Amino acid sequence: MGGTFDPIHHGHLVAASEVAHRFDLQRVIFTPTGIPWHKTRTTTPGEDRYLMTVIATAADTRFEVSRVDIDRDGPTYTVDTLRDLQSAFAAEHAPDTAEWFFITGADALADIVGWHDPDGIIERAHLVGVTRPGHQLTDPGLPEGVVTMIEIPALAISSSDIRTRVAAGKPIDYLVPEGVSRWIRKHGLYAGDNS
Ligand code: NAP
């Protein structure tokens, strides 16, 4: 499951759980992005986003967090994320019969044809776009059968709303796991955020 996770919230966790259930997934590996090449706003340091994702997912045995995108130099491209995860998995499992899915926000997936090596991505994984209720689904223009879109009511929560709430001194209780809320407070994240 790819995302900037700035910060991770309960909508992401519900989405991961729902997709795991729908596709009978053994594991969901969260991959916080390194340098998001397409962002105009300043992103919170990768180490904070990684650690908040670890805190948020720690209690669920199906969930893991990978540093592949945080530790790789240069911009984060999904084809690299999948290649790195798949090679590490193949090195540990023989024969490697794993089936792979790339889960992310439907908004983000709508632009996939403009991403680096989209053909390489769809060769490596089935795509799952998760979306907020009432959101108009955009056809990413991919061949039939390579992407599944799923509406997740809990995705009414958004990272940008959480950042705005923190900056305005509003509570974020129950929108993010308690440990994430404490991390944000302890490190003064989003205090001056205007996005
Ligand atoms: P984004 O533009 O920050 O997010 C777009 C929308 O999708 C937002 O509404 C966001 O909500 C939602 N979203 C993002 N990740 C989500 C998730 N895991 N579950 C549910 N909703 C999610 O997107 P991004 O985080 O930068 O990128 C998403 C993924 O696509 C990352 O893994 C990134 O590396 C990949 N990507 C790859 C390329 C490429 O290969 N060239 C280009 C763009 C993106 P929240 O803000 O609430 O999360």
Side-chain angles (χ1 to χ4, degrees), residues 123-188:
E123 274 165 26
R124 290 177 176 278
H126 181 76
L127 304 173
V128 183
V130 290
T131 187
R132 325 197 124 88
H135 175 84
Q136 199 62 38
L137 290 175
T138 315
D139 177 0
L142 294 171
E144 193 137 334
V146 303
V147 58
T148 304
M149 296 289 189
I150 300 181
E151 188 175 289
I152 306 287
L155 278 176
I157 303 171
S158 77
S159 298
S160 60
D161 180 51
I162 290 163
R163 295 193 299 270
T164 307
R165 291 184 72 86
V166 173
K170 293 182 179 170
I172 55 168
D173 305 304
Y174 310 113
L175 298 174
V176 299
E178 189 184 346
V180 170
S181 167
R182 284 174 181 257
W183 186 275
I184 290 170
R185 208 173 316 129
K186 180 173 173 185
H187 296 277

Side-chain angles (χ1 to χ4, degrees), residues 1-5 7 9 11-12 15 31 33 36-39 69 76-79 81 102-108 114-116 121 130 132 155 157-160 163:
M1 184 182 218
T4 308
F5 301 126
H9 52 67
H12 296 128
T31 52
T33 55
W37 61 276
H38 56 300
K39 289 252 172 2
D69 289 343
T76 294
Y77 295 128
T78 296
V79 72
T81 311
F102 179 70
I103 313 163
T104 196
D107 282 0
W115 292 8
H116 183 60
I121 297 172
V130 290
R132 325 197 124 88
L155 278 176
I157 303 171
S158 77
S159 298
S160 60
R163 295 193 299 270

Side-chain angles (χ1 to χ4, degrees), residues 49-86:
R49 293 182 290 106
Y50 168 76
L51 288 168
M52 289 190 285
T53 308
V54 169
I55 291 167
T57 55
D60 194 316
T61 53
R62 297 167 300 173
F63 294 170
E64 289 175 23
V65 189
S66 166
R67 296 186 60 94
V68 280
D69 289 343
I70 299 283
D71 289 344
R72 191 184 319 100
D73 285 335
T76 294
Y77 295 128
T78 296
V79 72
D80 297 333
T81 311
L82 290 167
R83 191 200 53 233
D84 290 354
L85 291 174
Q86 289 171 341

Side-chain angles (χ1 to χ4, degrees), residues 39-52:
K39 289 252 172 2
T40 44
R41 72 176 181 85
T42 309
T43 309
T44 304
E47 210 60 43
D48 281 304
R49 293 182 290 106
Y50 168 76
L51 288 168
M52 289 190 285

